[in-house]
Coordinates of all heavy atoms in Angstrom, one line a residue:
M1131 N 12.6 -9.2 13.9 CA 12.7 -8.3 12.8 C 14.0 -7.4 13.0 O 14.4 -7.2 14.1 CB 11.5 -7.4 12.7 CG 10.2 -8.0 12.2 SD 8.9 -6.9 11.8 CE 8.7 -6.1 13.4
I1132 N 14.5 -7.0 11.8 CA 15.7 -6.2 11.8 C 15.4 -4.8 11.1 O 14.7 -4.8 10.0 CB 16.8 -6.9 11.0 CG1 17.1 -8.2 11.5 CG2 18.1 -6.0 10.9 CD1 17.8 -8.3 12.8
K1133 N 15.8 -3.7 11.7 CA 15.7 -2.4 11.1 C 17.1 -2.1 10.5 O 18.1 -2.2 11.2 CB 15.4 -1.3 12.1 CG 13.9 -1.3 12.5 CD 13.1 -0.7 11.4 CE 11.6 -0.6 12.0 NZ 10.7 -0.2 11.0
H1134 N 17.2 -1.7 9.3 CA 18.4 -1.3 8.6 C 18.2 0.2 8.2 O 17.3 0.5 7.4 CB 18.6 -2.2 7.3 CG 19.7 -1.8 6.4 ND1 21.0 -1.9 6.8 CD2 19.6 -1.4 5.1 CE1 21.7 -1.5 5.7 NE2 20.9 -1.2 4.7
I1135 N 19.0 1.0 8.8 CA 18.9 2.5 8.6 C 20.3 3.0 8.0 O 21.3 2.7 8.6 CB 18.6 3.2 9.9 CG1 17.2 2.7 10.4 CG2 18.5 4.7 9.6 CD1 16.9 3.2 11.8
V1136 N 20.2 3.7 6.9 CA 21.4 4.2 6.3 C 21.1 5.7 6.0 O 20.1 6.0 5.4 CB 21.8 3.5 5.0 CG1 23.1 4.0 4.5 CG2 21.8 2.0 5.2
L1137 N 22.1 6.5 6.3 CA 22.0 8.0 6.1 C 23.1 8.3 5.1 O 24.2 7.8 5.2 CB 22.2 8.8 7.3 CG 21.2 8.4 8.5 CD1 21.6 9.3 9.7 CD2 19.8 8.7 8.1
F1138 N 22.8 9.2 4.1 CA 23.7 9.5 3.0 C 23.9 11.0 2.9 O 23.0 11.8 3.0 CB 23.2 9.0 1.7 CG 23.0 7.6 1.6 CD1 21.8 7.0 1.9 CD2 24.0 6.7 1.1 CE1 21.5 5.6 1.7 CE2 23.8 5.3 1.0 CZ 22.6 4.8 1.3
K1139 N 25.2 11.4 2.8 CA 25.5 12.8 2.4 C 25.8 12.7 0.9 O 26.6 11.8 0.5 CB 26.7 13.3 3.1 CG 26.4 13.7 4.6 CD 27.5 14.6 5.2 CE 27.1 14.8 6.6 NZ 26.7 16.1 6.9
L1140 N 25.2 13.6 0.1 CA 25.4 13.5 -1.3 C 26.4 14.6 -1.8 O 26.5 15.6 -1.2 CB 24.0 13.7 -2.0 CG 22.9 12.8 -1.6 CD1 21.6 13.2 -2.3 CD2 23.3 11.3 -1.9
K1141 N 27.0 14.2 -2.9 CA 27.9 15.2 -3.6 C 27.1 16.4 -4.1 O 27.6 17.5 -4.0 CB 28.6 14.5 -4.8 CG 29.6 13.4 -4.4 CD 30.1 12.8 -5.6 CE 31.0 11.6 -5.3 NZ 31.4 10.8 -6.4
N1142 N 25.9 16.1 -4.6 CA 25.1 17.2 -5.1 C 23.6 16.9 -4.6 O 23.0 15.9 -4.9 CB 25.1 17.1 -6.6 CG 24.3 18.2 -7.3 OD1 23.4 18.8 -6.7 ND2 24.5 18.4 -8.6
K1143 N 23.1 17.8 -3.8 CA 21.8 17.6 -3.2 C 20.7 17.4 -4.2 O 19.6 16.9 -3.9 CB 21.5 18.8 -2.2 CG 22.3 18.7 -1.0 CD 21.9 19.8 0.0 CE 22.9 19.7 1.2 NZ 22.5 20.6 2.2
A1144 N 20.9 17.9 -5.5 CA 20.0 17.7 -6.5 C 19.8 16.2 -6.9 O 18.8 15.9 -7.5 CB 20.4 18.5 -7.8
D1145 N 20.7 15.4 -6.5 CA 20.6 13.9 -6.7 C 19.7 13.2 -5.7 O 19.4 12.0 -5.8 CB 21.9 13.3 -6.7 CG 22.7 13.6 -8.0 OD1 22.1 13.9 -9.0 OD2 24.0 13.6 -7.9
A1146 N 19.1 14.0 -4.7 CA 18.3 13.3 -3.7 C 17.1 12.6 -4.3 O 16.8 11.5 -3.9 CB 17.9 14.4 -2.7
S1147 N 16.4 13.3 -5.2 CA 15.2 12.7 -5.8 C 15.6 11.4 -6.6 O 14.8 10.4 -6.6 CB 14.5 13.6 -6.7 OG 15.3 14.1 -7.8
K1148 N 16.7 11.4 -7.2 CA 17.2 10.2 -7.9 C 17.5 9.0 -6.9 O 17.1 7.9 -7.2 CB 18.5 10.5 -8.7 CG 19.0 9.4 -9.5 CD 20.4 9.7 -10.1 CE 20.6 11.0 -10.8 NZ 21.9 11.1 -11.4
A1149 N 18.0 9.4 -5.8 CA 18.3 8.4 -4.8 C 17.0 7.8 -4.2 O 16.8 6.6 -4.1 CB 19.1 9.0 -3.6
I1150 N 16.0 8.7 -3.9 CA 14.7 8.2 -3.3 C 14.0 7.3 -4.3 O 13.5 6.3 -4.0 CB 13.9 9.5 -3.0 CG1 14.5 10.3 -1.9 CG2 12.5 9.0 -2.5 CD1 14.8 9.6 -0.6
E1151 N 14.0 7.7 -5.6 CA 13.4 6.9 -6.6 C 14.0 5.5 -6.7 O 13.3 4.5 -6.8 CB 13.5 7.6 -8.0 CG 12.8 6.9 -9.1 CD 12.9 7.7 -10.4 OE1 12.7 8.9 -10.4 OE2 13.1 7.1 -11.5
A1152 N 15.4 5.5 -6.7 CA 16.1 4.2 -6.7 C 15.7 3.4 -5.5 O 15.5 2.2 -5.6 CB 17.6 4.5 -6.8
F1153 N 15.6 4.0 -4.3 CA 15.3 3.2 -3.1 C 13.9 2.6 -3.3 O 13.7 1.4 -3.1 CB 15.3 4.1 -1.9 CG 16.7 4.6 -1.5 CD1 16.8 5.8 -0.9 CD2 17.8 3.9 -1.8 CE1 18.0 6.3 -0.5 CE2 19.1 4.4 -1.4 CZ 19.1 5.6 -0.8
Y1154 N 12.9 3.4 -3.7 CA 11.6 2.9 -3.8 C 11.4 1.8 -4.9 O 10.5 1.1 -4.9 CB 10.5 4.0 -3.9 CG 10.2 4.6 -2.5 CD1 10.6 5.8 -2.1 CD2 9.4 3.8 -1.7 CE1 10.3 6.3 -0.9 CE2 9.1 4.3 -0.4 CZ 9.5 5.6 0.0 OH 9.2 6.1 1.2
S1155 N 12.3 1.8 -5.9 CA 12.3 0.8 -6.9 C 12.5 -0.6 -6.4 O 12.2 -1.6 -7.0 CB 13.3 1.1 -8.0 OG 14.6 0.8 -7.6
M1156 N 13.1 -0.7 -5.2 CA 13.3 -2.0 -4.5 C 12.1 -2.5 -3.8 O 12.0 -3.7 -3.5 CB 14.5 -1.9 -3.6 CG 15.8 -1.6 -4.2 SD 17.2 -1.7 -3.1 CE 16.9 -0.3 -2.0
K1157 N 11.2 -1.6 -3.4 CA 10.1 -2.0 -2.5 C 9.3 -3.1 -3.1 O 8.8 -3.0 -4.2 CB 9.2 -0.8 -2.2 CG 8.3 -1.1 -1.0 CD 7.6 0.2 -0.5 CE 6.8 -0.1 0.7 NZ 6.3 1.1 1.4
G1158 N 9.1 -4.2 -2.3 CA 8.2 -5.3 -2.7 C 8.9 -6.3 -3.6 O 8.3 -7.2 -4.1
K1159 N 10.2 -6.1 -3.9 CA 10.9 -6.9 -4.8 C 12.1 -7.7 -4.2 O 12.7 -8.5 -4.9 CB 11.5 -6.1 -6.0 CG 10.5 -5.3 -6.8 CD 11.1 -4.5 -7.8 CE 10.1 -3.7 -8.6 NZ 10.7 -2.7 -9.5
I1160 N 12.3 -7.6 -2.9 CA 13.4 -8.3 -2.3 C 12.8 -9.2 -1.2 O 12.1 -8.8 -0.3 CB 14.4 -7.3 -1.7 CG1 15.0 -6.5 -2.8 CG2 15.5 -8.0 -0.8 CD1 16.0 -5.4 -2.4
K1161 N 13.2 -10.5 -1.3 CA 12.7 -11.5 -0.4 C 13.2 -11.2 1.0 O 14.4 -10.9 1.3 CB 13.3 -12.9 -0.8 CG 12.7 -14.0 0.1 CD 13.3 -15.3 -0.4 CE 12.8 -16.4 0.5 NZ 13.3 -17.7 0.3
G1162 N 12.3 -11.2 2.0 CA 12.6 -10.9 3.4 C 12.5 -9.5 3.8 O 12.7 -9.1 4.9
M1163 N 12.4 -8.6 2.8 CA 12.2 -7.1 3.1 C 10.7 -6.9 3.3 O 9.9 -7.1 2.4 CB 12.7 -6.2 2.0 CG 12.5 -4.8 2.3 SD 12.9 -3.7 0.9 CE 14.7 -3.7 0.9
L1164 N 10.4 -6.5 4.6 CA 9.0 -6.3 4.9 C 8.5 -4.9 4.6 O 7.3 -4.7 4.3 CB 8.8 -6.5 6.4 CG 9.1 -7.9 6.9 CD1 9.0 -8.0 8.4 CD2 8.2 -9.0 6.2
D1165 N 9.4 -3.9 4.7 CA 9.0 -2.5 4.4 C 10.2 -1.7 4.0 O 11.3 -2.1 4.4 CB 8.3 -1.9 5.7 CG 7.6 -0.6 5.4 OD1 7.2 -0.4 4.2 OD2 7.3 0.2 6.3
L1166 N 10.0 -0.6 3.4 CA 11.0 0.3 3.0 C 10.4 1.7 3.0 O 9.3 2.0 2.5 CB 11.5 0.0 1.6 CG 12.6 0.9 1.0 CD1 13.5 0.1 0.0 CD2 12.1 2.1 0.3
E1167 N 11.2 2.6 3.6 CA 10.8 4.1 3.7 C 12.1 4.8 3.3 O 13.2 4.4 3.7 CB 10.3 4.5 5.0 CG 9.0 3.9 5.5 CD 8.6 4.3 6.8 OE1 9.2 3.8 7.8 OE2 7.7 5.2 6.9
A1168 N 11.9 6.0 2.6 CA 13.1 6.8 2.3 C 12.6 8.2 2.3 O 11.4 8.5 2.0 CB 13.7 6.4 1.0
G1169 N 13.5 9.2 2.6 CA 13.1 10.6 2.5 C 14.4 11.5 2.6 O 15.5 11.0 2.8
T1170 N 14.1 12.7 2.3 CA 15.2 13.7 2.3 C 15.1 14.6 3.6 O 14.0 14.8 4.1 CB 15.1 14.6 1.1 OG1 13.9 15.2 1.0 CG2 15.4 13.8 -0.2
D1171 N 16.2 15.1 4.0 CA 16.3 16.0 5.2 C 15.7 17.3 4.8 O 15.9 17.8 3.7 CB 17.7 16.1 5.6 CG 17.9 17.1 6.7 OD1 17.4 16.8 7.8 OD2 18.5 18.2 6.5
F1172 N 14.9 17.9 5.7 CA 14.4 19.2 5.4 C 15.0 20.3 6.4 O 14.8 21.5 6.1 CB 12.9 19.2 5.5 CG 12.3 19.0 6.9 CD1 12.1 20.0 7.8 CD2 12.1 17.7 7.3 CE1 11.6 19.8 9.0 CE2 11.6 17.4 8.6 CZ 11.3 18.5 9.5
L1173 N 15.7 19.9 7.4 CA 16.2 20.9 8.3 C 17.5 21.5 7.9 O 17.8 22.7 8.1 CB 16.5 20.3 9.7 CG 15.2 20.0 10.6 CD1 15.6 19.4 11.9 CD2 14.4 21.3 10.8
E1174 N 18.3 20.7 7.2 CA 19.6 21.1 6.7 C 20.5 21.7 7.8 O 21.2 22.7 7.6 CB 19.5 22.1 5.5 CG 18.8 21.4 4.3 CD 18.7 22.3 3.1 OE1 19.2 23.4 3.1 OE2 18.1 21.8 2.1
S1175 N 20.5 21.1 8.9 CA 21.3 21.5 10.0 C 22.8 21.1 9.8 O 23.1 20.3 8.9 CB 20.8 21.0 11.4 OG 21.1 19.6 11.5
E1176 N 23.7 21.6 10.6 CA 25.1 21.3 10.4 C 25.4 19.8 10.5 O 26.2 19.2 9.9 CB 25.9 22.0 11.6 CG 27.3 21.8 11.5 CD 28.0 22.6 12.6 OE1 27.9 23.9 12.6 OE2 28.7 22.0 13.4
R1177 N 24.6 19.0 11.3 CA 24.8 17.6 11.5 C 23.9 16.7 10.6 O 24.0 15.5 10.7 CB 24.7 17.2 12.9 CG 23.4 17.4 13.5 CD 23.4 17.1 15.0 NE 22.1 16.8 15.4 CZ 21.8 16.0 16.5 NH1 22.8 15.6 17.2 NH2 20.6 15.8 16.8
S1178 N 23.1 17.3 9.8 CA 22.1 16.6 9.0 C 22.8 15.8 7.8 O 23.9 16.2 7.3 CB 21.1 17.5 8.3 OG 20.2 18.1 9.2
Y1179 N 22.2 14.7 7.5 CA 22.6 14.0 6.3 C 21.5 14.3 5.3 O 20.4 14.8 5.6 CB 22.7 12.5 6.5 CG 24.0 12.1 7.1 CD1 24.4 12.5 8.4 CD2 24.9 11.3 6.3 CE1 25.7 12.1 8.9 CE2 26.1 10.9 6.8 CZ 26.5 11.3 8.1 OH 27.7 11.0 8.6
D1180 N 21.7 14.1 4.0 CA 20.8 14.5 3.0 C 19.6 13.5 2.7 O 18.5 14.0 2.5 CB 21.5 14.7 1.6 CG 22.6 15.7 1.8 OD1 22.4 16.8 2.3 OD2 23.8 15.4 1.4
V1181 N 19.9 12.2 2.8 CA 18.9 11.2 2.5 C 18.9 10.1 3.5 O 20.0 9.7 3.9 CB 19.1 10.7 1.0 CG1 18.1 9.6 0.7 CG2 19.1 11.8 0.0
A1182 N 17.7 9.6 3.8 CA 17.7 8.4 4.7 C 16.9 7.3 4.1 O 16.0 7.5 3.3 CB 16.9 8.8 6.0
L1183 N 17.4 6.1 4.4 CA 16.8 4.8 3.9 C 16.5 4.0 5.2 O 17.4 3.8 6.0 CB 17.7 4.1 3.0 CG 17.2 2.7 2.6 CD1 16.0 2.7 1.8 CD2 18.3 1.9 1.8
V1184 N 15.3 3.6 5.3 CA 14.9 2.7 6.5 C 14.2 1.5 5.9 O 13.2 1.6 5.3 CB 14.0 3.4 7.5 CG1 13.6 2.5 8.6 CG2 14.6 4.8 7.9
C1185 N 14.8 0.3 6.2 CA 14.2 -1.0 5.7 C 14.0 -1.9 6.9 O 14.7 -1.9 7.9 CB 15.2 -1.7 4.8 SG 15.6 -0.7 3.3
T1186 N 12.9 -2.6 6.8 CA 12.6 -3.7 7.8 C 12.7 -5.0 7.1 O 12.1 -5.3 6.1 CB 11.2 -3.5 8.4 OG1 11.1 -2.1 8.9 CG2 10.9 -4.4 9.5
F1187 N 13.5 -5.9 7.8 CA 13.7 -7.2 7.3 C 13.2 -8.3 8.3 O 13.2 -8.0 9.5 CB 15.2 -7.5 7.0 CG 15.8 -6.7 5.9 CD1 16.3 -5.4 6.1 CD2 15.7 -7.2 4.6 CE1 16.8 -4.7 5.0 CE2 16.2 -6.4 3.5 CZ 16.8 -5.2 3.7
T1188 N 12.9 -9.4 7.8 CA 12.4 -10.5 8.6 C 13.4 -10.9 9.7 O 13.1 -11.2 10.8 CB 11.9 -11.7 7.8 OG1 13.0 -12.1 7.0 CG2 10.7 -11.4 7.0
D1189 N 14.7 -11.0 9.2 CA 15.7 -11.5 10.1 C 17.1 -11.1 9.6 O 17.2 -10.5 8.5 CB 15.6 -13.0 10.3 CG 15.6 -13.8 9.1 OD1 16.2 -13.4 8.0 OD2 15.0 -14.9 9.1
K1190 N 18.2 -11.5 10.3 CA 19.5 -11.1 9.9 C 19.9 -11.8 8.6 O 20.6 -11.2 7.7 CB 20.5 -11.6 11.0 CG 21.9 -11.2 10.7 CD 22.8 -11.6 11.8 CE 24.3 -11.3 11.5 NZ 25.2 -11.8 12.4
S1191 N 19.4 -13.0 8.3 CA 19.7 -13.7 7.1 C 19.1 -12.9 5.9 O 19.8 -12.8 4.8 CB 19.1 -15.1 7.1 OG 19.2 -15.7 5.9
A1192 N 17.9 -12.4 6.0 CA 17.3 -11.6 4.9 C 18.1 -10.3 4.7 O 18.3 -9.9 3.5 CB 15.9 -11.2 5.3
L1193 N 18.6 -9.7 5.7 CA 19.5 -8.5 5.6 C 20.7 -8.8 4.9 O 21.2 -8.1 4.0 CB 19.8 -7.9 7.0 CG 20.8 -6.7 7.0 CD1 20.3 -5.5 6.2 CD2 21.1 -6.3 8.4
E1194 N 21.3 -9.9 5.2 CA 22.6 -10.4 4.6 C 22.3 -10.7 3.1 O 23.2 -10.3 2.2 CB 23.2 -11.6 5.3 CG 23.7 -11.2 6.7 CD 24.0 -12.4 7.6 OE1 23.7 -13.6 7.2 OE2 24.7 -12.2 8.6
S1195 N 21.2 -11.3 2.8 CA 20.9 -11.7 1.4 C 20.7 -10.4 0.6 O 21.0 -10.3 -0.6 CB 19.7 -12.5 1.3 OG 19.9 -13.8 1.9
Y1196 N 20.1 -9.4 1.2 CA 19.8 -8.1 0.5 C 21.1 -7.5 0.0 O 21.1 -6.9 -1.1 CB 19.2 -7.2 1.6 CG 19.2 -5.7 1.3 CD1 18.3 -5.1 0.4 CD2 20.0 -4.9 2.1 CE1 18.3 -3.8 0.1 CE2 20.0 -3.5 1.9 CZ 19.1 -2.9 0.9 OH 19.1 -1.6 0.7
Q1197 N 22.2 -7.7 0.7 CA 23.5 -7.0 0.3 C 23.9 -7.4 -1.1 O 24.5 -6.6 -1.8 CB 24.6 -7.3 1.3 CG 24.3 -6.7 2.7 CD 24.1 -5.2 2.7 OE1 24.7 -4.5 1.9 NE2 23.2 -4.8 3.5
T1198 N 23.6 -8.6 -1.5 CA 24.0 -9.1 -2.9 C 22.8 -9.4 -3.8 O 22.9 -10.0 -4.9 CB 24.8 -10.4 -2.7 OG1 24.0 -11.4 -2.0 CG2 26.1 -10.1 -2.0
D1199 N 21.6 -9.0 -3.4 CA 20.4 -9.2 -4.2 C 20.5 -8.4 -5.5 O 20.9 -7.2 -5.5 CB 19.1 -8.7 -3.4 CG 17.9 -9.1 -4.1 OD1 17.6 -8.5 -5.2 OD2 17.2 -10.0 -3.6
P1200 N 20.2 -9.0 -6.7 CA 20.3 -8.3 -8.0 C 19.5 -7.0 -8.1 O 19.8 -6.1 -8.8 CB 19.8 -9.3 -9.0 CG 19.8 -10.6 -8.3 CD 19.8 -10.4 -6.8
V1201 N 18.4 -6.9 -7.3 CA 17.6 -5.7 -7.3 C 18.3 -4.6 -6.5 O 18.2 -3.4 -6.9 CB 16.2 -6.0 -6.6 CG1 15.4 -4.7 -6.5 CG2 15.4 -7.0 -7.5
H1202 N 19.1 -4.9 -5.5 CA 19.8 -4.0 -4.7 C 21.1 -3.5 -5.3 O 21.5 -2.3 -5.1 CB 20.1 -4.6 -3.3 CG 20.9 -3.7 -2.4 ND1 22.0 -4.1 -1.9 CD2 20.7 -2.4 -1.9 CE1 22.5 -3.1 -1.1 NE2 21.7 -2.1 -1.1
L1203 N 21.8 -4.3 -6.0 CA 23.1 -4.0 -6.5 C 23.2 -2.7 -7.4 O 24.1 -1.9 -7.2 CB 23.7 -5.2 -7.3 CG 24.0 -6.4 -6.4 CD1 24.6 -7.5 -7.3 CD2 25.0 -6.0 -5.3
P1204 N 22.2 -2.5 -8.3 CA 22.3 -1.2 -9.1 C 22.1 0.0 -8.2 O 22.6 1.1 -8.4 CB 21.3 -1.3 -10.2 CG 20.5 -2.5 -9.9 CD 21.2 -3.3 -8.9
V1205 N 21.2 -0.1 -7.2 CA 21.0 1.0 -6.3 C 22.2 1.3 -5.4 O 22.6 2.4 -5.2 CB 19.7 0.7 -5.4 CG1 19.5 1.8 -4.3 CG2 18.5 0.4 -6.2
K1206 N 22.8 0.2 -5.0 CA 24.1 0.3 -4.2 C 25.2 1.0 -5.0 O 25.9 1.9 -4.6 CB 24.5 -1.1 -3.8 CG 25.7 -1.2 -2.9 CD 26.0 -2.6 -2.5 CE 27.1 -2.8 -1.5 NZ 27.2 -4.2 -1.1
K1207 N 25.3 0.6 -6.3 CA 26.2 1.2 -7.2 C 26.0 2.7 -7.4 O 26.9 3.6 -7.3 CB 26.2 0.5 -8.6 CG 27.2 1.0 -9.6 CD 27.1 0.3 -10.9 CE 28.1 0.7 -11.9 NZ 27.9 2.0 -12.5
L1208 N 24.7 3.1 -7.6 CA 24.3 4.5 -7.7 C 24.7 5.3 -6.5 O 25.3 6.3 -6.6 CB 22.8 4.6 -8.0 CG 22.3 6.0 -7.9 CD1 22.8 6.9 -9.1 CD2 20.8 6.0 -7.8
M1209 N 24.4 4.7 -5.3 CA 24.7 5.5 -4.1 C 26.2 5.6 -3.9 O 26.6 6.7 -3.4 CB 24.0 4.8 -2.9 CG 22.5 4.8 -3.0 SD 21.8 6.4 -3.4 CE 22.3 7.4 -2.0
H1210 N 27.0 4.7 -4.3 CA 28.4 4.8 -4.2 C 28.9 5.9 -5.1 O 29.9 6.6 -4.8 CB 29.1 3.5 -4.5 CG 29.1 2.5 -3.4 ND1 30.2 2.4 -2.5 CD2 28.2 1.6 -3.0 CE1 29.9 1.4 -1.6 NE2 28.7 1.0 -1.9
E1211 N 28.2 6.1 -6.2 CA 28.6 7.2 -7.2 C 28.2 8.6 -6.7 O 29.0 9.5 -7.0 CB 28.0 6.9 -8.5 CG 28.6 5.6 -9.2 CD 27.8 5.2 -10.4 OE1 26.8 5.9 -10.8 OE2 28.2 4.2 -11.1
I1212 N 27.1 8.7 -6.1 CA 26.6 10.1 -5.8 C 26.8 10.5 -4.3 O 26.4 11.6 -4.0 CB 25.1 10.2 -6.2 CG1 24.2 9.3 -5.3 CG2 24.9 9.9 -7.7 CD1 22.7 9.6 -5.6
R1213 N 27.3 9.7 -3.5 CA 27.4 10.0 -2.1 C 28.9 10.5 -1.8 O 29.8 10.1 -2.5 CB 27.1 8.9 -1.2 CG 28.2 7.8 -1.2 CD 27.9 6.7 -0.2 NE 29.2 5.9 -0.2 CZ 29.2 4.7 0.2 NH1 28.1 4.1 0.6 NH2 30.4 4.1 0.3
T1214 N 29.0 11.3 -0.7 CA 30.3 11.6 -0.2 C 30.5 10.8 1.1 O 31.7 10.5 1.5 CB 30.5 13.1 0.1 OG1 29.5 13.5 1.1 CG2 30.3 13.9 -1.1
A1215 N 29.5 10.4 1.8 CA 29.6 9.7 3.1 C 28.3 9.0 3.3 O 27.2 9.4 2.9 CB 29.9 10.6 4.2
S1216 N 28.4 7.9 4.2 CA 27.2 7.3 4.7 C 27.5 6.7 6.0 O 28.6 6.4 6.3 CB 26.7 6.2 3.7 OG 27.6 5.2 3.6
V1217 N 26.4 6.5 6.8 CA 26.5 5.8 8.1 C 25.3 4.9 8.2 O 24.3 5.2 7.5 CB 26.5 6.8 9.3 CG1 27.8 7.6 9.3 CG2 25.3 7.7 9.3
A1218 N 25.5 3.8 8.9 CA 24.4 2.8 9.0 C 24.3 2.3 10.4 O 25.2 2.3 11.2 CB 24.6 1.7 8.0
V1219 N 23.1 1.8 10.7 CA 22.8 1.1 12.0 C 21.8 0.0 11.6 O 20.9 0.2 10.9 CB 22.4 2.0 13.1 CG1 21.0 2.6 12.8 CG2 22.3 1.2 14.4
D1220 N 22.1 -1.2 12.2 CA 21.2 -2.3 12.1 C 20.8 -2.8 13.5 O 21.8 -3.1 14.2 CB 21.8 -3.4 11.2 CG 22.2 -2.9 9.9 OD1 21.3 -2.8 9.1 OD2 23.4 -2.7 9.6
F1221 N 19.5 -2.9 13.8 CA 19.2 -3.4 15.1 C 18.0 -4.3 15.1 O 17.2 -4.3 14.1 CB 19.0 -2.2 16.1 CG 17.8 -1.3 15.7 CD1 16.6 -1.5 16.2 CD2 18.0 -0.2 14.8 CE1 15.5 -0.6 15.9 CE2 17.0 0.7 14.5 CZ 15.7 0.4 15.0
I1222 N 17.9 -5.1 16.1 CA 16.7 -6.0 16.3 C 15.6 -5.3 16.9 O 15.8 -4.5 17.9 CB 17.2 -7.2 17.1 CG1 18.3 -8.0 16.5 CG2 16.0 -8.1 17.4 CD1 18.9 -9.0 17.3
C1223 N 14.4 -5.4 16.3 CA 13.2 -4.8 16.9 C 12.1 -5.8 17.1 O 12.2 -6.9 16.7 CB 12.8 -3.7 16.0 SG 12.4 -4.1 14.3

């Protein structure tokens, strides 16, 4: 299995609920995605990001397919519009 974790800093923190809603709109609709969790930061520390996305995929191939999946593309577009930065990590579990 593969864990895909992405953290986002948003231009406007008020967009966090829009991001979370968009993330959950993908759950159960992408082949090879076993699970999806998303949430907003509550500590608001100096090093915090605003929103986190955690997905579990069956394998690397499923993660790669996700990048161009028609369900993911509008979410990806939205996040490019509302974020100022993002970081990601993908690891085998």
Side-chain angles (χ1 to χ4, degrees):
M1131 287 191 299
I1132 303 291
K1133 286 284 186 186
H1134 172 65
I1135 301 171
V1136 187
L1137 306 177
F1138 299 92
K1139 285 196 185 253
L1140 304 178
K1141 294 176 186 174
N1142 182 346
K1143 289 184 184 185
D1145 286 332
S1147 60
K1148 185 189 307 184
I1150 299 298
E1151 184 178 319
F1153 295 149
Y1154 277 107
S1155 74
M1156 297 186 292
K1157 191 167 185 171
K1159 297 178 183 173
I1160 296 178
K1161 184 179 178 186
M1163 181 188 283
L1164 301 174
D1165 196 21
L1166 179 148
E1167 294 178 284
T1170 56
D1171 177 66
F1172 66 91
L1173 288 181
E1174 297 183 1
S1175 74
E1176 185 177 297
R1177 62 185 206 155
S1178 290
Y1179 277 67
D1180 301 311
V1181 179
L1183 172 66
V1184 180
C1185 300
T1186 305
F1187 291 91
T1188 53
D1189 54 29
K1190 184 178 177 188
S1191 176
L1193 173 61
E1194 290 168 349
S1195 294
Y1196 162 75
Q1197 297 304 323
T1198 58
D1199 190 289
V1201 173
H1202 177 237
L1203 292 178
V1205 176
K1206 187 176 182 178
K1207 181 179 184 291
L1208 169 69
M1209 295 313 297
H1210 280 264
E1211 293 169 358
I1212 68 173
R1213 74 176 190 201
T1214 59
S1216 63
V1217 293
V1219 64
D1220 299 288
F1221 63 92
I1222 298 170
C1223 54

